[in-house]
């Protein structure tokens, strides 16, 4: 079983612009051979406009599981919990 790495970034995908977003994508896709890589993101494609342009939901991009939530406020908080210490993580959005 591979160790899990999770990134949190405003946008993720081929058409998402921004230096941090592109750096995250390059790093995440390089780690997939050795880790289970997931990205928690919003539906924002252009961080300057800040509009939901990408559909919400889960998507695999080049071996990376991307979880997108609609951008509603100036912040989005994700929380992972492992019920009963099982090691299986469950995802919760806190709005």
């Amino acid at each position: 079983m591979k160790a899990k790495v999770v990134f949190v970034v405003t946008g993720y995908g081929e058409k998402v612009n921004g230096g941090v977003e592109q750096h995250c994508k390059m790093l995440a896709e390089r780690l997939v051979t050795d880790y289970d890589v997931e990205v928690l993101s919003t539906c924002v494609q252009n961080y300057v406009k800040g509009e939901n342009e990408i559909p919400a939901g889960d998507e695999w991009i080049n071996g990376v599981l991307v979880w997108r939530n609609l951008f509603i406020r100036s912040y989005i908080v994700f929380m992972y919990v492992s019920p009963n210490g099982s090691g299986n993580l469950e995802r919760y959005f806190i709005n």
Side-chain angles (χ1 to χ4, degrees):
M1 179 178 200
K2 294 181 181 179
K4 184 173 288 204
V5 175
V6 179
F7 293 92
V8 179
V9 67
T10 303
Y12 190 92
E14 296 296 329
K15 296 181 181 179
V16 173
N17 58 8
V20 171
E21 291 81 359
Q22 289 302 316
H23 182 74
C24 175
K25 186 174 185 302
M26 289 188 307
L27 183 57
E29 291 176 4
R30 288 187 180 143
L31 291 175
V32 296
T33 56
D34 298 316
Y35 299 92
D36 286 332
V37 182
E38 297 180 9
V39 174
L40 307 177
S41 187
T42 67
C43 298
V44 172
Q45 182 171 328
N46 182 327
Y47 69 92
V48 175
K49 293 192 314 186
E51 297 173 358
N52 293 309
E53 299 176 282
I54 305 170
D58 302 349
E59 176 183 10
W60 287 93
I61 300 176
N62 298 328
V64 177
L65 178 58
V66 181
W67 292 356
R68 288 194 183 93
N69 191 25
L70 292 174
F71 179 73
I72 299 171
R73 299 180 185 157
S74 60
Y75 62 92
I76 301 288
V77 178
F78 298 91
M79 178 178 72
Y80 277 99
V81 297
S82 177
N84 304 321
S86 66
N88 297 323
L89 296 178
E90 294 182 11
R91 169 184 61 164
Y92 295 91
F93 294 110
I94 303 171
N95 289 319

Coordinates of all heavy atoms in Angstrom, one line a residue:
M1 N 0.8 -1.2 0.0 CA 0.0 0.0 0.0 C 0.9 1.2 0.0 O 1.8 1.4 0.8 CB -0.9 0.0 1.2 CG -1.8 1.2 1.3 SD -2.8 1.0 2.8 CE -4.1 2.1 2.3
K2 N 0.6 2.1 -0.9 CA 1.4 3.4 -1.0 C 1.0 4.4 0.0 O -0.2 4.5 0.4 CB 1.2 4.0 -2.4 CG 1.7 3.2 -3.6 CD 1.4 4.0 -4.9 CE 1.9 3.2 -6.1 NZ 1.6 4.0 -7.3
A3 N 1.9 5.2 0.4 CA 1.5 6.3 1.3 C 0.8 7.4 0.5 O 0.9 7.4 -0.7 CB 2.8 7.0 1.8
K4 N -0.1 8.1 1.2 CA -0.9 9.1 0.5 C -0.4 10.5 0.7 O 0.1 10.9 1.7 CB -2.3 9.1 1.1 CG -3.3 10.0 0.4 CD -4.7 9.8 0.9 CE -5.2 8.5 0.4 NZ -6.6 8.4 0.3
V5 N -0.4 11.3 -0.5 CA 0.0 12.7 -0.5 C -1.2 13.5 -1.0 O -1.8 13.1 -2.0 CB 1.2 12.9 -1.4 CG1 1.5 14.4 -1.5 CG2 2.4 12.1 -1.0
V6 N -1.6 14.5 -0.2 CA -2.7 15.4 -0.6 C -2.3 16.8 -0.8 O -1.6 17.3 0.1 CB -3.8 15.3 0.5 CG1 -5.0 16.2 0.1 CG2 -4.3 13.8 0.6
F7 N -2.6 17.4 -1.9 CA -2.3 18.8 -2.2 C -3.6 19.6 -2.1 O -4.7 19.1 -2.4 CB -1.8 19.0 -3.6 CG -0.4 18.4 -3.8 CD1 -0.3 17.1 -4.3 CD2 0.7 19.1 -3.5 CE1 1.0 16.5 -4.5 CE2 2.0 18.6 -3.7 CZ 2.1 17.3 -4.2
V8 N -3.5 20.8 -1.6 CA -4.7 21.7 -1.6 C -4.3 23.0 -2.4 O -3.3 23.6 -2.1 CB -5.1 22.1 -0.2 CG1 -6.3 23.1 -0.2 CG2 -5.4 20.9 0.7
V9 N -5.1 23.2 -3.5 CA -4.8 24.3 -4.4 C -6.1 24.9 -5.0 O -7.0 24.1 -5.1 CB -3.8 23.8 -5.5 CG1 -4.4 22.8 -6.4 CG2 -3.2 25.0 -6.3
T10 N -6.1 26.1 -5.3 CA -7.3 26.8 -5.8 C -7.8 26.1 -7.1 O -9.0 25.9 -7.2 CB -7.0 28.3 -6.1 OG1 -6.5 28.9 -4.9 CG2 -8.2 29.0 -6.6
G11 N -6.9 25.8 -8.0 CA -7.4 25.2 -9.3 C -6.4 24.1 -9.7 O -5.2 24.2 -9.4
Y12 N -6.9 23.1 -10.5 CA -6.0 22.0 -11.0 C -6.6 21.5 -12.3 O -7.8 21.3 -12.4 CB -6.0 20.9 -9.9 CG -5.0 19.8 -10.2 CD1 -3.7 19.9 -9.7 CD2 -5.3 18.8 -11.1 CE1 -2.8 19.0 -10.0 CE2 -4.3 17.8 -11.4 CZ -3.1 17.9 -10.8 OH -2.1 17.0 -11.1
G13 N -5.7 21.4 -13.3 CA -6.1 20.9 -14.6 C -5.2 21.5 -15.7 O -4.4 22.3 -15.5
E14 N -5.5 21.0 -16.9 CA -4.7 21.4 -18.1 C -4.9 22.9 -18.4 O -4.0 23.6 -18.8 CB -5.1 20.6 -19.3 CG -4.8 19.1 -19.2 CD -3.3 18.8 -19.0 OE1 -2.5 19.6 -19.6 OE2 -3.0 17.8 -18.4
K15 N -6.1 23.4 -18.2 CA -6.4 24.8 -18.6 C -6.4 25.8 -17.4 O -6.7 26.9 -17.6 CB -7.8 24.9 -19.3 CG -7.8 24.1 -20.6 CD -9.2 24.2 -21.2 CE -9.3 23.4 -22.5 NZ -10.6 23.4 -23.1
V16 N -5.9 25.3 -16.3 CA -5.9 26.2 -15.1 C -4.6 27.0 -15.2 O -3.5 26.5 -15.4 CB -5.9 25.4 -13.8 CG1 -5.7 26.3 -12.6 CG2 -7.3 24.7 -13.7
N17 N -4.7 28.3 -15.0 CA -3.5 29.2 -15.0 C -3.0 29.5 -13.6 O -3.8 29.4 -12.7 CB -3.7 30.4 -15.9 CG -4.8 31.3 -15.4 OD1 -5.4 31.0 -14.3 ND2 -5.2 32.3 -16.2
G18 N -1.8 30.0 -13.5 CA -1.3 30.4 -12.2 C 0.0 29.5 -11.9 O 0.0 28.3 -12.2
G19 N 1.0 30.2 -11.4 CA 2.3 29.5 -11.1 C 2.2 28.5 -10.0 O 2.7 27.4 -10.2
V20 N 1.5 28.7 -8.9 CA 1.3 27.7 -7.9 C 0.5 26.5 -8.4 O 0.9 25.4 -8.1 CB 0.6 28.4 -6.6 CG1 0.3 27.3 -5.6 CG2 1.5 29.4 -6.0
E21 N -0.5 26.8 -9.1 CA -1.3 25.7 -9.7 C -0.5 24.8 -10.6 O -0.6 23.6 -10.6 CB -2.6 26.3 -10.4 CG -3.6 26.9 -9.5 CD -3.2 28.3 -9.0 OE1 -2.2 28.9 -9.4 OE2 -4.0 28.9 -8.3
Q22 N 0.3 25.4 -11.5 CA 1.1 24.6 -12.4 C 2.2 23.8 -11.7 O 2.5 22.7 -12.0 CB 1.7 25.5 -13.5 CG 0.7 26.0 -14.5 CD -0.1 24.9 -15.2 OE1 0.5 23.9 -15.6 NE2 -1.4 25.0 -15.3
H23 N 2.8 24.5 -10.7 CA 3.8 23.8 -9.9 C 3.2 22.6 -9.2 O 3.8 21.5 -9.2 CB 4.4 24.8 -8.9 CG 5.5 24.1 -8.1 ND1 6.8 23.8 -8.6 CD2 5.5 23.7 -6.8 CE1 7.5 23.3 -7.7 NE2 6.8 23.2 -6.6
C24 N 2.0 22.8 -8.6 CA 1.4 21.7 -7.9 C 1.1 20.5 -8.9 O 1.3 19.3 -8.5 CB 0.1 22.2 -7.3 SG -0.9 20.9 -6.5
K25 N 0.6 20.8 -10.1 CA 0.3 19.8 -11.1 C 1.5 19.0 -11.5 O 1.5 17.8 -11.5 CB -0.4 20.4 -12.3 CG -0.9 19.4 -13.3 CD -1.6 20.1 -14.4 CE -2.2 19.2 -15.4 NZ -1.3 18.3 -16.0
M26 N 2.6 19.7 -11.7 CA 3.9 19.0 -12.1 C 4.4 18.1 -11.0 O 4.7 17.0 -11.2 CB 4.9 20.1 -12.5 CG 4.7 20.8 -13.8 SD 6.0 21.9 -14.3 CE 6.3 22.9 -12.9
L27 N 4.3 18.6 -9.8 CA 4.8 17.8 -8.6 C 3.9 16.6 -8.4 O 4.4 15.5 -8.2 CB 4.9 18.7 -7.4 CG 5.4 18.1 -6.1 CD1 6.8 17.5 -6.4 CD2 5.4 19.1 -5.0
A28 N 2.6 16.9 -8.4 CA 1.6 15.8 -8.1 C 1.8 14.7 -9.1 O 1.8 13.5 -8.8 CB 0.2 16.3 -8.1
E29 N 1.9 15.0 -10.4 CA 2.0 14.0 -11.4 C 3.3 13.2 -11.4 O 3.4 12.1 -11.9 CB 1.7 14.6 -12.8 CG 0.3 15.0 -12.9 CD -0.1 15.7 -14.2 OE1 0.8 15.9 -15.1 OE2 -1.3 16.2 -14.3
R30 N 4.4 13.8 -10.9 CA 5.6 13.1 -10.7 C 5.6 12.2 -9.6 O 6.4 11.2 -9.5 CB 6.8 14.1 -10.6 CG 7.1 14.9 -11.9 CD 8.3 15.7 -11.8 NE 8.5 16.4 -13.1 CZ 8.9 17.6 -13.2 NH1 9.2 18.3 -12.1 NH2 9.1 18.1 -14.4
L31 N 4.8 12.4 -8.6 CA 4.8 11.6 -7.4 C 3.9 10.3 -7.5 O 3.9 9.4 -6.7 CB 4.3 12.4 -6.2 CG 5.2 13.5 -5.7 CD1 4.6 14.3 -4.6 CD2 6.5 12.9 -5.2
V32 N 3.0 10.2 -8.6 CA 2.1 9.1 -8.7 C 2.7 7.8 -8.8 O 2.1 6.8 -8.4 CB 1.1 9.3 -9.8 CG1 0.2 10.6 -9.6 CG2 1.7 9.4 -11.2
T33 N 3.9 7.7 -9.2 CA 4.6 6.4 -9.3 C 4.9 5.8 -7.9 O 4.9 4.6 -7.7 CB 5.9 6.4 -10.1 OG1 6.7 7.4 -9.6 CG2 5.6 6.7 -11.6
D34 N 5.1 6.6 -6.9 CA 5.5 6.2 -5.6 C 4.4 6.4 -4.5 O 4.6 5.9 -3.4 CB 6.8 6.9 -5.2 CG 7.9 6.5 -6.1 OD1 8.1 5.3 -6.4 OD2 8.7 7.4 -6.5
Y35 N 3.4 7.3 -4.8 CA 2.4 7.6 -3.8 C 1.0 7.6 -4.4 O 0.9 7.8 -5.6 CB 2.7 9.1 -3.3 CG 4.0 9.2 -2.6 CD1 5.1 9.6 -3.3 CD2 4.2 9.0 -1.2 CE1 6.4 9.8 -2.7 CE2 5.4 9.1 -0.6 CZ 6.5 9.5 -1.3 OH 7.7 9.7 -0.7
D36 N 0.0 7.5 -3.5 CA -1.4 7.8 -3.9 C -1.6 9.3 -3.8 O -1.5 9.8 -2.7 CB -2.4 7.0 -3.0 CG -2.4 5.5 -3.3 OD1 -2.2 5.2 -4.4 OD2 -2.7 4.8 -2.3
V37 N -1.8 9.9 -4.9 CA -1.8 11.4 -4.9 C -3.2 11.9 -5.1 O -3.9 11.4 -6.0 CB -0.8 12.0 -6.0 CG1 -0.9 13.5 -5.9 CG2 0.6 11.5 -5.8
E38 N -3.7 12.8 -4.3 CA -5.0 13.4 -4.4 C -4.8 14.9 -4.3 O -3.9 15.5 -3.7 CB -5.9 13.0 -3.3 CG -6.2 11.5 -3.4 CD -7.1 11.0 -2.3 OE1 -7.7 11.8 -1.6 OE2 -7.3 9.8 -2.2
V39 N -5.7 15.7 -5.0 CA -5.7 17.1 -5.0 C -7.1 17.6 -4.6 O -8.1 17.1 -5.1 CB -5.3 17.7 -6.3 CG1 -5.5 19.2 -6.3 CG2 -3.9 17.3 -6.7
L40 N -7.2 18.4 -3.6 CA -8.4 19.1 -3.1 C -8.4 20.5 -3.8 O -7.5 21.2 -3.6 CB -8.5 19.2 -1.6 CG -8.2 17.9 -0.8 CD1 -8.3 18.2 0.7 CD2 -9.3 16.9 -1.2
S41 N -9.5 20.8 -4.5 CA -9.5 22.0 -5.3 C -10.9 22.6 -5.4 O -11.8 22.0 -4.9 CB -8.9 21.7 -6.7 OG -8.7 22.9 -7.4
T42 N -10.9 23.7 -6.0 CA -12.2 24.4 -6.3 C -12.5 24.2 -7.8 O -11.7 23.6 -8.5 CB -12.2 25.9 -6.0 OG1 -11.3 26.5 -6.9 CG2 -11.7 26.1 -4.5
C43 N -13.6 24.7 -8.2 CA -14.0 24.7 -9.6 C -13.6 25.9 -10.4 O -14.0 26.2 -11.5 CB -15.6 24.6 -9.7 SG -16.2 23.1 -9.0
V44 N -12.7 26.7 -9.8 CA -12.1 27.9 -10.4 C -11.1 27.5 -11.4 O -10.1 26.8 -11.1 CB -11.6 28.8 -9.3 CG1 -10.8 30.0 -9.9 CG2 -12.7 29.3 -8.4
Q45 N -11.2 28.0 -12.6 CA -10.2 27.8 -13.7 C -9.2 29.0 -13.7 O -8.0 28.8 -13.9 CB -10.9 27.6 -15.0 CG -9.9 27.3 -16.1 CD -10.6 26.9 -17.4 OE1 -11.7 26.3 -17.3 NE2 -10.1 27.3 -18.5
N46 N -9.7 30.2 -13.6 CA -8.9 31.4 -13.7 C -9.0 32.1 -12.3 O -10.1 32.6 -11.9 CB -9.5 32.3 -14.8 CG -8.6 33.6 -14.9 OD1 -8.1 34.1 -14.0 ND2 -8.6 34.1 -16.2
Y47 N -7.9 32.1 -11.5 CA -7.9 32.6 -10.2 C -8.2 34.1 -10.1 O -8.7 34.6 -9.1 CB -6.6 32.3 -9.4 CG -5.4 33.0 -10.0 CD1 -5.0 34.2 -9.4 CD2 -4.7 32.5 -11.0 CE1 -3.9 34.9 -9.9 CE2 -3.6 33.1 -11.5 CZ -3.2 34.3 -10.9 OH -2.1 35.0 -11.4
V48 N -8.0 34.8 -11.2 CA -8.2 36.3 -11.3 C -9.7 36.5 -11.3 O -10.2 37.4 -10.5 CB -7.5 36.9 -12.5 CG1 -7.9 38.4 -12.6 CG2 -6.0 36.7 -12.4
K49 N -10.4 35.8 -12.1 CA -11.9 35.9 -12.2 C -12.6 35.3 -11.0 O -13.6 35.8 -10.5 CB -12.4 35.3 -13.5 CG -12.0 36.0 -14.7 CD -12.7 35.6 -16.0 CE -12.9 34.1 -16.2 NZ -13.5 33.8 -17.5
G50 N -12.1 34.2 -10.5 CA -12.6 33.5 -9.3 C -14.0 32.9 -9.6 O -14.8 32.8 -8.6
E51 N -14.3 32.5 -10.8 CA -15.7 32.0 -11.1 C -15.6 30.5 -11.2 O -14.6 29.9 -11.7 CB -16.2 32.6 -12.4 CG -16.4 34.1 -12.3 CD -16.7 34.7 -13.7 OE1 -16.8 34.0 -14.7 OE2 -16.9 35.9 -13.7
N52 N -16.7 29.8 -10.9 CA -16.8 28.3 -11.0 C -16.9 28.0 -12.5 O -18.0 28.2 -13.1 CB -18.0 27.8 -10.3 CG -17.7 27.9 -8.8 OD1 -16.7 27.5 -8.3 ND2 -18.7 28.5 -8.1
E53 N -15.9 27.5 -13.2 CA -15.9 27.2 -14.6 C -15.7 25.7 -14.9 O -15.9 25.3 -16.0 CB -14.9 28.0 -15.3 CG -15.1 29.5 -15.2 CD -13.9 30.3 -15.9 OE1 -12.8 30.4 -15.3 OE2 -14.1 30.8 -17.0
I54 N -15.3 25.0 -13.9 CA -15.0 23.5 -14.0 C -16.1 22.8 -13.2 O -16.4 23.2 -12.1 CB -13.6 23.2 -13.5 CG1 -12.5 24.0 -14.2 CG2 -13.3 21.7 -13.7 CD1 -11.2 23.9 -13.6
P55 N -16.7 21.7 -13.8 CA -17.7 21.0 -13.0 C -17.2 20.5 -11.7 O -16.1 20.0 -11.6 CB -18.1 19.9 -13.9 CG -17.6 20.3 -15.3 CD -16.4 21.1 -15.1
A56 N -18.1 20.5 -10.7 CA -17.7 20.0 -9.3 C -17.7 18.4 -9.4 O -18.4 17.8 -10.3 CB -18.7 20.4 -8.3
G57 N -17.0 17.8 -8.5 CA -17.0 16.4 -8.5 C -15.5 15.8 -8.5 O -14.6 16.6 -8.4
D58 N -15.4 14.5 -8.7 CA -14.1 13.8 -8.7 C -13.7 13.6 -10.2 O -14.6 13.3 -11.0 CB -14.2 12.5 -8.0 CG -14.7 12.7 -6.5 OD1 -14.7 13.8 -6.0 OD2 -15.0 11.7 -5.9
E59 N -12.4 13.7 -10.4 CA -11.9 13.4 -11.7 C -10.5 12.9 -11.6 O -9.7 13.4 -10.8 CB -11.9 14.7 -12.5 CG -11.3 14.6 -13.9 CD -11.3 16.0 -14.6 OE1 -11.6 17.0 -14.0 OE2 -11.0 15.9 -15.8
W60 N -10.1 11.9 -12.5 CA -8.7 11.5 -12.5 C -8.0 12.2 -13.6 O -8.5 12.3 -14.8 CB -8.7 10.0 -12.8 CG -9.1 9.1 -11.7 CD1 -10.3 8.7 -11.4 CD2 -8.2 8.7 -10.6 NE1 -10.3 8.0 -10.2 CE2 -9.0 7.9 -9.7 CE3 -6.9 8.8 -10.3 CZ2 -8.5 7.4 -8.6 CZ3 -6.4 8.2 -9.2 CH2 -7.2 7.5 -8.3
I61 N -6.9 12.8 -13.3 CA -6.1 13.5 -14.3 C -4.6 13.0 -14.2 O -4.0 13.2 -13.2 CB -6.1 15.1 -14.1 CG1 -7.5 15.6 -14.2 CG2 -5.1 15.7 -15.1 CD1 -7.6 17.1 -13.9
N62 N -4.2 12.3 -15.2 CA -2.8 11.7 -15.3 C -2.4 11.0 -14.0 O -1.3 11.1 -13.5 CB -1.8 12.8 -15.6 CG -2.1 13.5 -16.9 OD1 -2.5 12.8 -17.8 ND2 -1.8 14.8 -17.0
G63 N -3.3 10.2 -13.5 CA -3.1 9.3 -12.3 C -3.3 10.0 -11.0 O -3.1 9.4 -9.9
V64 N -3.8 11.3 -11.0 CA -4.0 12.0 -9.8 C -5.5 12.2 -9.6 O -6.2 12.6 -10.5 CB -3.4 13.5 -9.9 CG1 -3.7 14.3 -8.6 CG2 -1.9 13.3 -10.0
L65 N -6.0 11.8 -8.4 CA -7.5 12.0 -8.1 C -7.7 13.4 -7.7 O -7.1 13.9 -6.7 CB -7.9 11.0 -7.0 CG -9.4 11.2 -6.6 CD1 -10.3 10.9 -7.7 CD2 -9.7 10.2 -5.4
V66 N -8.5 14.1 -8.4 CA -8.8 15.6 -8.1 C -10.2 15.6 -7.6 O -11.2 15.2 -8.3 CB -8.7 16.4 -9.4 CG1 -9.0 17.9 -9.1 CG2 -7.3 16.2 -10.0
W67 N -10.4 16.2 -6.4 CA -11.7 16.4 -5.8 C -12.0 17.9 -5.9 O -11.3 18.7 -5.3 CB -11.7 16.0 -4.4 CG -11.6 14.5 -4.2 CD1 -11.5 13.6 -5.2 CD2 -11.5 13.8 -3.0 NE1 -11.4 12.3 -4.6 CE2 -11.4 12.4 -3.3 CE3 -11.5 14.2 -1.7 CZ2 -11.3 11.4 -2.3 CZ3 -11.4 13.2 -0.7 CH2 -11.3 11.9 -1.0
R68 N -13.1 18.3 -6.6 CA -13.4 19.7 -6.7 C -14.7 20.0 -6.0 O -15.7 19.3 -6.1 CB -13.6 20.1 -8.2 CG -12.3 20.1 -9.0 CD -12.5 20.8 -10.3 NE -11.2 20.7 -11.0 CZ -10.9 19.8 -11.9 NH1 -11.8 18.8 -12.2 NH2 -9.8 19.8 -12.5
N69 N -14.7 21.2 -5.4 CA -15.9 21.7 -4.7 C -16.2 23.1 -5.2 O -15.2 23.8 -5.6 CB -15.7 21.8 -3.2 CG -16.9 22.0 -2.4 OD1 -18.0 21.8 -2.8 ND2 -16.7 22.6 -1.2
L70 N -17.4 23.5 -5.3 CA -17.8 24.8 -5.8 C -17.1 25.9 -4.9 O -17.1 25.8 -3.7 CB -19.3 25.0 -5.8 CG -20.0 24.2 -6.9 CD1 -21.5 24.4 -6.7 CD2 -19.6 24.6 -8.3
F71 N -16.7 26.9 -5.5 CA -16.1 28.1 -4.8 C -17.3 28.9 -4.4 O -18.0 29.5 -5.2 CB -15.2 28.9 -5.7 CG -14.6 30.1 -5.0 CD1 -13.6 29.9 -4.0 CD2 -15.0 31.3 -5.3 CE1 -13.1 31.0 -3.4 CE2 -14.5 32.4 -4.7 CZ -13.5 32.3 -3.7
I72 N -17.6 29.1 -3.1 CA -18.7 29.8 -2.6 C -18.3 31.0 -1.8 O -18.9 32.1 -1.9 CB -19.6 28.9 -1.7 CG1 -20.1 27.7 -2.5 CG2 -20.8 29.6 -1.1 CD1 -20.8 26.6 -1.8
R73 N -17.2 30.9 -1.0 CA -16.7 32.0 -0.2 C -15.3 32.2 -0.5 O -14.7 31.7 -1.4 CB -16.9 31.6 1.3 CG -18.3 31.3 1.7 CD -18.3 30.9 3.2 NE -19.6 30.5 3.5 CZ -19.9 29.7 4.5 NH1 -19.0 29.3 5.3 NH2 -21.2 29.4 4.8
S74 N -14.7 33.0 0.3 CA -13.3 33.3 0.0 C -12.4 32.2 0.6 O -11.2 32.3 0.5 CB -12.9 34.7 0.7 OG -13.1 34.6 2.1
Y75 N -13.0 31.2 1.2 CA -12.2 30.0 1.6 C -13.0 28.8 1.5 O -14.2 28.8 1.6 CB -11.7 30.2 3.1 CG -12.8 30.4 4.1 CD1 -13.3 29.2 4.7 CD2 -13.4 31.6 4.3 CE1 -14.4 29.3 5.6 CE2 -14.4 31.7 5.2 CZ -14.9 30.6 5.9 OH -15.9 30.7 6.7
I76 N -12.3 27.7 1.3 CA -13.0 26.3 1.3 C -12.1 25.5 2.3 O -10.9 25.5 2.2 CB -12.9 25.7 -0.1 CG1 -13.6 26.5 -1.1 CG2 -13.5 24.3 0.0 CD1 -15.1 26.5 -1.0
V77 N -12.7 24.8 3.2 CA -12.0 23.9 4.1 C -12.4 22.5 3.9 O -13.6 22.2 3.9 CB -12.3 24.4 5.6 CG1 -11.6 23.5 6.6 CG2 -11.9 25.8 5.8
F78 N -11.4 21.6 3.8 CA -11.7 20.2 3.7 C -11.1 19.6 5.0 O -10.1 20.0 5.5 CB -10.9 19.6 2.5 CG -11.3 20.1 1.2 CD1 -10.6 21.2 0.6 CD2 -12.2 19.5 0.4 CE1 -10.9 21.7 -0.6 CE2 -12.6 20.0 -0.8 CZ -11.9 21.1 -1.4
M79 N -11.8 18.5 5.4 CA -11.3 17.8 6.6 C -11.3 16.3 6.3 O -12.3 15.8 5.7 CB -12.3 18.1 7.8 CG -11.9 17.4 9.0 SD -13.0 17.8 10.4 CE -14.5 16.9 10.0
Y80 N -10.3 15.7 6.7 CA -10.2 14.2 6.6 C -10.3 13.6 7.9 O -9.7 14.1 8.9 CB -8.9 13.8 6.0 CG -8.8 13.9 4.5 CD1 -8.2 14.9 3.8 CD2 -9.3 12.8 3.7 CE1 -8.1 15.0 2.4 CE2 -9.2 12.8 2.3 CZ -8.7 13.9 1.7 OH -8.6 13.9 0.4
V81 N -11.1 12.6 8.1 CA -11.1 11.9 9.3 C -11.0 10.4 9.1 O -11.3 9.9 8.0 CB -12.4 12.1 10.1 CG1 -12.6 13.6 10.5 CG2 -13.6 11.6 9.3
S82 N -10.4 9.7 10.0 CA -10.2 8.2 9.9 C -11.1 7.6 11.1 O -10.7 7.6 12.2 CB -8.8 7.9 10.1 OG -8.6 6.5 10.1
P83 N -12.3 7.2 10.7 CA -13.2 6.7 11.8 C -12.6 5.4 12.4 O -12.1 4.6 11.8 CB -14.5 6.4 11.1 CG -14.2 6.4 9.6 CD -12.9 7.1 9.4
N84 N -12.7 5.4 13.7 CA -12.2 4.2 14.5 C -10.8 3.8 14.3 O -10.4 2.7 14.5 CB -13.1 3.0 14.2 CG -14.6 3.3 14.5 OD1 -14.9 4.0 15.5 ND2 -15.5 2.8 13.7
G85 N -10.0 4.8 13.8 CA -8.6 4.5 13.6 C -8.3 3.5 12.5 O -7.3 2.8 12.5
S86 N -9.3 3.3 11.6 CA -9.2 2.3 10.5 C -8.1 2.6 9.5 O -7.7 1.8 8.8 CB -10.5 2.1 9.9 OG -10.9 3.3 9.2
G87 N -7.7 3.9 9.4 CA -6.8 4.3 8.4 C -7.5 4.7 7.1 O -6.8 5.2 6.2
N88 N -8.8 4.4 7.0 CA -9.5 4.8 5.8 C -10.0 6.2 6.0 O -10.8 6.5 6.9 CB -10.7 3.8 5.5 CG -10.2 2.4 5.3 OD1 -9.3 2.2 4.6 ND2 -11.0 1.4 5.8
L89 N -9.6 7.1 5.1 CA -10.0 8.5 5.2 C -11.4 8.7 4.6 O -11.7 8.3 3.5 CB -8.9 9.4 4.6 CG -7.6 9.3 5.3 CD1 -6.6 10.2 4.5 CD2 -7.7 9.7 6.7
E90 N -12.2 9.5 5.3 CA -13.4 10.0 4.7 C -13.3 11.5 4.6 O -12.8 12.2 5.4 CB -14.6 9.6 5.6 CG -14.8 8.1 5.7 CD -16.0 7.8 6.6 OE1 -16.8 8.7 7.0 OE2 -16.1 6.6 6.9
R91 N -13.9 12.0 3.5 CA -13.8 13.5 3.2 C -15.0 14.2 3.6 O -16.1 13.8 3.4 CB -13.5 13.6 1.7 CG -13.6 15.0 1.2 CD -13.5 15.1 -0.3 NE -14.6 14.3 -0.9 CZ -14.9 14.4 -2.2 NH1 -14.2 15.2 -3.0 NH2 -15.9 13.7 -2.7
Y92 N -14.8 15.4 4.2 CA -15.9 16.2 4.6 C -15.6 17.7 4.2 O -14.5 18.1 4.3 CB -16.1 16.2 6.1 CG -16.6 14.9 6.7 CD1 -15.6 14.0 7.1 CD2 -17.9 14.6 6.7 CE1 -16.1 12.7 7.6 CE2 -18.3 13.4 7.2 CZ -17.4 12.5 7.6 OH -17.8 11.2 8.1
F93 N -16.6 18.4 3.7 CA -16.4 19.8 3.3 C -17.0 20.6 4.5 O -18.1 20.3 5.0 CB -17.2 20.2 2.1 CG -16.6 19.5 0.8 CD1 -17.3 18.5 0.2 CD2 -15.4 19.9 0.3 CE1 -16.9 17.9 -1.0 CE2 -14.9 19.3 -0.8 CZ -15.6 18.3 -1.4
I94 N -16.3 21.6 4.9 CA -16.8 22.5 6.0 C -17.0 23.8 5.3 O -16.1 24.5 4.8 CB -15.8 22.6 7.1 CG1 -15.4 21.3 7.7 CG2 -16.3 23.6 8.2 CD1 -14.3 21.3 8.7
N95 N -18.3 24.2 5.2 CA -18.6 25.5 4.6 C -19.0 26.6 5.6 O -19.5 26.3 6.6 CB -19.7 25.4 3.6 CG -19.2 24.6 2.3 OD1 -18.1 24.8 1.9 ND2 -20.0 23.7 1.9

